[in-house]
Amino acid sequence: MKCESCNKKHATVHLTEIVGTVKKERHLCEECAQSINTHLTKIPSPTEILTSLINQVAPEINEMSKIVCPVCGLSYLEFRSHGRLGCAMDYTIFRKGLIPLLEKMHSSTQHIGKVPSRAGKELIKKNELMQLRNELNKAVEKEDYERAAELRDKIYEFSGENDED
Amino acid sequence: MKISDLTDNTGEWLRGTGPQSDIVISSRIRLARNVARFPFLSMANVKQKKELEETIRDKIKDADISQDLCYLNLADITPVDRLFLVERHLISRDHAGGEGERGVAFGKSETVSLMVNEEDHLRIQVIRSGFELKEAWKTIDEIDNKLEKRLNYAYSSRFGYLTACPTNVGTGMRASVMLHLPALGMTHHIEKVFNAVMKLGLVVRGLYGEGTQVSGDLYQISNQFTLGKSETEIIEIIESVIPRITSYERMARKSLISESREQLEDRVWRSYGMLKVARLISSEEIMHLLSQVRMGVNLGIINDIEMKTLNELFILTLPGHLQKLEGRELNSTQRNIIRASYVRKRLEK
Ligand SMILES: [Zn+2]
Ligand SMILES: [Zn+2]
């Protein structure tokens, strides 16, 4: 196979580029590959995606721009430009800016996964309950009524013990 | 255990066994965790980083995760050694290129690795050969339970496990499956796979993850969202899509055989021949050749080479490995010579 760039040398470099959803193959000689390498469209890094997302959704720049975390010293503006938070407290301090961002990123703003055992039994139960409700919704969506009934019973049982709704 | 003890073999996850291992090379899960009373790393000072590194290292040892766990401080080892660990998938590129007090713990089988002071205070990783995400989750969940008894994780009931980057918050979990999809690439059907996968909120990446070039027809499929779904749900979503992709790849292989058997066989045998005789092979070229031969073995076109050997060659011929093998730094031409001679040696019997 000839190099598709200079059409002279033998192609020894086979690159696969992905631009959006399109995959493109390139067959090049070593030299042409070297010179072209810097121009190749890279898959955007998560940080690039993140900062562009932040810029799209993060609201009330004026209001938020003055906020600085009293614990770690990170400002909201620094977070906006780097996409990294400075401490666990930032999730509370920058909450207003984070909620729309999380919604956009994860289509949710509520954790329903694992709970560390230190966080207490109550929380573990609350999360299990949320997971059951989630499953129930899915079962209803799929019209799997048998499974839905089963889940409903479980939820009642749970709520009873828990003295919740 | 020293790094040089690792050079002669590779991790268990490359042995080419496990469900669907003709197409699914490996299944991997990682969890991101932070310790509550410390700032995240970007805002931590040198003293805090050191304290974190010492605390987490001790707790990992104390947790009795596996008997042969060894711990390396990355500041103490050479750049070539760090590159070697990246190629082994034991640490990330960012971890290798980072600075300050940071380390990694891993077992001899290289199934489990724990990165200390990467982007988050702790990143736990489990890799298994073949399509075994559920088993990987079981293992990593147990390790996490052991550590959580000893470390007070940053956690909120609303947002779950709190991470330095909001893309990881919630479960802190990234589950990924590495697939070998040469026929879908050759028949230009790979875009359809990407579309289907992205509709489910999953992402496709190259061999070394984030932002890396796809090569050797190896793709990693992993979850993008980490919040609002449980770990099991996330795994189920990935598990539901993988069999569709593997059967699609098998169909593409079948149609290649029935429509252009000679061309396919020619491609495979030429690639095999090239590996056996070439005197200079670049790292891009070898990925391409190995990919063709791997498919040839799966299709029964080539019978005299083991899957394990091929899987290993994808890793053993990488720049860091070749330099470890030779025990010195090599420029790219030197590497191309050594790569070719190493492969020739491995393939001759
Ligand atoms: Zn050229
Ligand atoms: Zn803070």
Short mmCIF file of all heavy atoms in Angstrom, two decimals, chain B residues 183-213:
data_model
loop_
_atom_site.label_atom_id
_atom_site.label_comp_id
_atom_site.label_asym_id
_atom_site.label_seq_id
_atom_site.Cartn_x
_atom_site.Cartn_y
_atom_site.Cartn_z
N ALA B 183 -13.36 -6.52 12.10
CA ALA B 183 -14.25 -6.69 10.94
C ALA B 183 -15.22 -5.52 10.82
O ALA B 183 -15.52 -5.06 9.72
CB ALA B 183 -15.01 -8.01 11.05
N LEU B 184 -15.70 -5.01 11.94
CA LEU B 184 -16.59 -3.84 11.89
C LEU B 184 -15.83 -2.63 11.36
O LEU B 184 -16.40 -1.79 10.68
CB LEU B 184 -17.17 -3.54 13.28
CG LEU B 184 -18.26 -4.51 13.74
CD1 LEU B 184 -18.69 -4.19 15.17
CD2 LEU B 184 -19.46 -4.48 12.82
N GLY B 185 -14.54 -2.57 11.65
CA GLY B 185 -13.72 -1.50 11.11
C GLY B 185 -13.55 -1.66 9.61
O GLY B 185 -13.74 -0.71 8.85
N MET B 186 -13.22 -2.90 9.17
CA MET B 186 -12.97 -3.15 7.75
C MET B 186 -14.21 -2.94 6.90
O MET B 186 -14.14 -2.49 5.76
CB MET B 186 -12.48 -4.59 7.55
CG MET B 186 -11.00 -4.77 7.82
SD MET B 186 -10.58 -6.51 8.07
CE MET B 186 -10.71 -7.11 6.42
N THR B 187 -15.38 -3.29 7.46
CA THR B 187 -16.62 -3.17 6.69
C THR B 187 -17.29 -1.81 6.90
O THR B 187 -18.40 -1.57 6.43
CB THR B 187 -17.62 -4.29 7.08
OG1 THR B 187 -17.80 -4.24 8.50
CG2 THR B 187 -17.11 -5.65 6.70
N HIS B 188 -16.59 -0.93 7.64
CA HIS B 188 -17.08 0.43 7.90
C HIS B 188 -18.45 0.48 8.59
O HIS B 188 -19.27 1.34 8.32
CB HIS B 188 -17.12 1.26 6.60
CG HIS B 188 -15.78 1.31 5.94
ND1 HIS B 188 -14.77 2.12 6.42
CD2 HIS B 188 -15.25 0.62 4.91
CE1 HIS B 188 -13.70 1.92 5.68
NE2 HIS B 188 -13.95 1.02 4.76
N HIS B 189 -18.67 -0.48 9.47
CA HIS B 189 -19.92 -0.48 10.23
C HIS B 189 -19.72 0.03 11.65
O HIS B 189 -20.64 0.09 12.43
CB HIS B 189 -20.51 -1.88 10.28
CG HIS B 189 -21.21 -2.26 9.02
ND1 HIS B 189 -20.63 -3.08 8.08
CD2 HIS B 189 -22.42 -1.92 8.53
CE1 HIS B 189 -21.46 -3.22 7.07
NE2 HIS B 189 -22.55 -2.52 7.31
N ILE B 190 -18.47 0.40 11.94
CA ILE B 190 -18.15 0.75 13.32
C ILE B 190 -18.91 1.99 13.80
O ILE B 190 -19.28 2.10 14.95
CB ILE B 190 -16.61 0.91 13.48
CG1 ILE B 190 -16.21 0.82 14.95
CG2 ILE B 190 -16.08 2.19 12.87
CD1 ILE B 190 -15.98 -0.57 15.42
N GLU B 191 -19.21 2.92 12.88
CA GLU B 191 -19.93 4.15 13.27
C GLU B 191 -21.31 3.82 13.83
O GLU B 191 -21.79 4.49 14.73
CB GLU B 191 -20.11 5.10 12.08
CG GLU B 191 -18.85 5.49 11.36
CD GLU B 191 -18.53 4.54 10.22
OE1 GLU B 191 -19.24 4.58 9.19
OE2 GLU B 191 -17.58 3.74 10.35
N LYS B 192 -21.92 2.77 13.23
CA LYS B 192 -23.25 2.39 13.72
C LYS B 192 -23.17 1.95 15.17
O LYS B 192 -24.05 2.24 15.98
CB LYS B 192 -23.81 1.25 12.87
CG LYS B 192 -24.27 1.71 11.52
CD LYS B 192 -24.88 0.56 10.72
CE LYS B 192 -24.97 0.96 9.26
NZ LYS B 192 -25.06 -0.23 8.39
N VAL B 193 -22.10 1.23 15.48
CA VAL B 193 -21.90 0.80 16.86
C VAL B 193 -21.76 2.02 17.77
O VAL B 193 -22.40 2.11 18.82
CB VAL B 193 -20.65 -0.09 16.98
CG1 VAL B 193 -20.33 -0.38 18.44
CG2 VAL B 193 -20.83 -1.37 16.20
N PHE B 194 -20.94 2.97 17.34
CA PHE B 194 -20.74 4.17 18.16
C PHE B 194 -22.06 4.90 18.42
O PHE B 194 -22.33 5.33 19.53
CB PHE B 194 -19.77 5.15 17.46
CG PHE B 194 -18.38 4.62 17.36
CD1 PHE B 194 -17.47 5.18 16.48
CD2 PHE B 194 -17.97 3.55 18.14
CE1 PHE B 194 -16.18 4.70 16.38
CE2 PHE B 194 -16.69 3.05 18.04
CZ PHE B 194 -15.79 3.62 17.15
N ASN B 195 -22.86 5.01 17.37
CA ASN B 195 -24.14 5.70 17.52
C ASN B 195 -25.03 5.01 18.55
O ASN B 195 -25.57 5.65 19.44
CB ASN B 195 -24.87 5.76 16.18
CG ASN B 195 -24.29 6.85 15.30
OD1 ASN B 195 -23.76 7.84 15.80
ND2 ASN B 195 -24.37 6.65 14.00
N ALA B 196 -25.13 3.67 18.41
CA ALA B 196 -25.98 2.91 19.32
C ALA B 196 -25.49 3.06 20.76
O ALA B 196 -26.27 3.25 21.69
CB ALA B 196 -25.99 1.44 18.91
N VAL B 197 -24.18 2.99 20.90
CA VAL B 197 -23.57 3.05 22.22
C VAL B 197 -23.78 4.42 22.86
O VAL B 197 -24.12 4.55 24.03
CB VAL B 197 -22.07 2.71 22.07
CG1 VAL B 197 -21.27 3.21 23.25
CG2 VAL B 197 -21.89 1.20 21.90
N MET B 198 -23.64 5.47 22.05
CA MET B 198 -23.77 6.81 22.61
C MET B 198 -25.20 7.13 23.02
O MET B 198 -25.42 7.87 23.96
CB MET B 198 -23.25 7.85 21.61
CG MET B 198 -21.72 7.91 21.67
SD MET B 198 -21.05 9.27 20.74
CE MET B 198 -21.22 8.67 19.08
N LYS B 199 -26.16 6.52 22.31
CA LYS B 199 -27.56 6.73 22.69
C LYS B 199 -27.83 6.22 24.09
O LYS B 199 -28.73 6.69 24.77
CB LYS B 199 -28.48 6.04 21.69
CG LYS B 199 -28.78 6.95 20.52
CD LYS B 199 -29.80 6.34 19.57
CE LYS B 199 -29.74 7.05 18.23
NZ LYS B 199 -29.79 6.13 17.11
N LEU B 200 -27.07 5.24 24.53
CA LEU B 200 -27.26 4.68 25.87
C LEU B 200 -26.44 5.44 26.92
O LEU B 200 -26.36 5.03 28.07
CB LEU B 200 -26.84 3.20 25.88
CG LEU B 200 -27.74 2.26 25.10
CD1 LEU B 200 -27.07 0.92 24.89
CD2 LEU B 200 -29.06 2.08 25.85
N GLY B 201 -25.82 6.54 26.52
CA GLY B 201 -25.04 7.31 27.48
C GLY B 201 -23.68 6.71 27.73
O GLY B 201 -23.04 6.98 28.75
N LEU B 202 -23.23 5.85 26.80
CA LEU B 202 -21.90 5.25 26.96
C LEU B 202 -20.92 5.95 26.03
O LEU B 202 -21.32 6.60 25.07
CB LEU B 202 -21.95 3.75 26.63
CG LEU B 202 -22.98 2.94 27.43
CD1 LEU B 202 -22.99 1.49 26.95
CD2 LEU B 202 -22.67 2.98 28.92
N VAL B 203 -19.63 5.81 26.30
CA VAL B 203 -18.63 6.43 25.43
C VAL B 203 -17.65 5.40 24.90
O VAL B 203 -17.41 4.37 25.51
CB VAL B 203 -17.82 7.54 26.13
CG1 VAL B 203 -18.61 8.82 26.18
CG2 VAL B 203 -17.38 7.13 27.52
N VAL B 204 -17.07 5.71 23.75
CA VAL B 204 -16.08 4.84 23.13
C VAL B 204 -14.72 5.52 23.19
O VAL B 204 -14.60 6.70 22.88
CB VAL B 204 -16.41 4.56 21.66
CG1 VAL B 204 -15.45 3.56 21.06
CG2 VAL B 204 -17.84 4.08 21.52
N ARG B 205 -13.70 4.78 23.61
CA ARG B 205 -12.35 5.35 23.68
C ARG B 205 -11.34 4.34 23.13
O ARG B 205 -11.66 3.19 22.90
CB ARG B 205 -11.97 5.64 25.13
CG ARG B 205 -12.87 6.63 25.82
CD ARG B 205 -12.22 7.12 27.10
NE ARG B 205 -13.04 8.15 27.71
CZ ARG B 205 -13.80 7.95 28.78
NH1 ARG B 205 -13.82 6.78 29.35
NH2 ARG B 205 -14.51 8.93 29.28
N GLY B 206 -10.09 4.86 22.95
CA GLY B 206 -9.03 3.98 22.47
C GLY B 206 -8.43 3.13 23.60
O GLY B 206 -8.92 3.14 24.72
N LEU B 207 -7.37 2.43 23.27
CA LEU B 207 -6.75 1.46 24.18
C LEU B 207 -6.37 2.04 25.53
O LEU B 207 -6.54 1.41 26.57
CB LEU B 207 -5.51 0.86 23.50
CG LEU B 207 -4.64 -0.12 24.27
CD1 LEU B 207 -5.45 -1.33 24.75
CD2 LEU B 207 -3.48 -0.60 23.41
N TYR B 208 -5.81 3.23 25.53
CA TYR B 208 -5.38 3.81 26.79
C TYR B 208 -6.32 4.88 27.31
O TYR B 208 -5.93 5.80 28.00
CB TYR B 208 -3.92 4.29 26.72
CG TYR B 208 -3.04 3.09 26.80
CD1 TYR B 208 -2.63 2.43 25.65
CD2 TYR B 208 -2.72 2.53 28.03
CE1 TYR B 208 -1.91 1.26 25.73
CE2 TYR B 208 -2.00 1.36 28.12
CZ TYR B 208 -1.60 0.74 26.96
OH TYR B 208 -0.90 -0.43 27.06
N GLY B 209 -7.60 4.73 26.95
CA GLY B 209 -8.61 5.58 27.55
C GLY B 209 -8.61 7.00 27.04
O GLY B 209 -8.29 7.25 25.88
N GLU B 210 -8.96 7.88 27.93
CA GLU B 210 -9.29 9.26 27.65
C GLU B 210 -8.40 9.94 26.62
O GLU B 210 -7.20 10.07 26.81
CB GLU B 210 -9.28 10.01 28.96
CG GLU B 210 -10.14 9.28 29.98
CD GLU B 210 -10.20 9.97 31.32
OE1 GLU B 210 -9.26 10.68 31.67
OE2 GLU B 210 -11.22 9.79 31.99
N GLY B 211 -9.02 10.38 25.52
CA GLY B 211 -8.31 11.19 24.55
C GLY B 211 -7.25 10.46 23.73
O GLY B 211 -6.48 11.07 23.04
N THR B 212 -7.19 9.14 23.80
CA THR B 212 -6.15 8.44 23.05
C THR B 212 -6.67 7.96 21.70
O THR B 212 -7.86 7.75 21.50
CB THR B 212 -5.57 7.23 23.80
OG1 THR B 212 -6.63 6.33 24.11
CG2 THR B 212 -4.87 7.68 25.07
N GLN B 213 -5.74 7.80 20.79
CA GLN B 213 -5.99 7.34 19.44
C GLN B 213 -6.46 5.89 19.47
O GLN B 213 -5.96 5.10 20.25
CB GLN B 213 -4.68 7.41 18.68
CG GLN B 213 -4.82 7.37 17.21
CD GLN B 213 -5.10 8.75 16.68
OE1 GLN B 213 -4.49 9.70 17.08
NE2 GLN B 213 -6.04 8.85 15.77
#
